[in-house]
Amino acid sequence: MFYNIKLSILFCVNNLVGAIKADLETFIREIADKMEAKIESLEIQPDHIHLLVSAPPRYSPANLINAFKGATSKRLRNKYPYLKSLPSMWTKTYYVGTAGNVSAEVIKRYIEECQG
């Protein structure tokens, strides 16, 4: 099952840059590997991420979101202590859509074009 996921950060406007961006990408890929999910496309913007992931059907979109949000928040806050002063790393909301009638390639191209 393909999921197109968009996560927005909270209180960290323009923080997903430089070393934090690189670490976030590493952490997301490690989490996906642990869940036996495949990252088809990942674009990290300064204030949000776009992620196209295929995952085993045993994981609901909510399971995936919680895993990515929870683990990345914990790991980034441990590595960058100043982030601990923020009440939350991610917003409570997210967008998720399935590939459905649109091919994964079309979604992947959309995500890549959003990078600008």
Side-chain angles (χ1 to χ4, degrees), residues 55-75:
R58 69 179 172 271
Y59 294 115
S60 71
N63 292 138
L64 292 170
I65 299 296
N66 288 336
F68 287 125
K69 282 183 169 183
T72 57
S73 177
K74 182 176 181 178
R75 292 175 76 178

Side-chain angles (χ1 to χ4, degrees), residues 38-49:
K38 181 180 177 192
I39 303 295
E40 303 290 339
S41 181
L42 172 62
E43 296 296 336
I44 300 174
Q45 305 288 327
D47 62 349
H48 68 277
I49 67 170

Side-chain angles (χ1 to χ4, degrees), residues 1 3 31-37 54-64:
M1 175 67 71
Y3 297 110
I31 295 160
D33 286 346
K34 186 175 181 180
M35 298 179 77
E36 299 175 10
S54 60
R58 69 179 172 271
Y59 294 115
S60 71
N63 292 138
L64 292 170

Side-chain angles (χ1 to χ4, degrees), residues 1-5 25 28-29 31-33 36-44 50-56 64 68 97-99 102-113:
M1 175 67 71
F2 286 98
Y3 297 110
N4 178 19
I5 299 171
E25 180 172 353
I28 288 172
R29 292 187 185 284
I31 295 160
D33 286 346
E36 299 175 10
K38 181 180 177 192
I39 303 295
E40 303 290 339
S41 181
L42 172 62
E43 296 296 336
I44 300 174
H50 287 276
L51 174 64
L52 179 62
V53 60
S54 60
L64 292 170
F68 287 125
T98 59
V102 179
S103 73
E105 187 58 39
V106 170
I107 294 172
K108 183 177 178 180
R109 189 170 51 246
Y110 164 77
I111 292 171
E112 290 167 352
E113 287 173 0

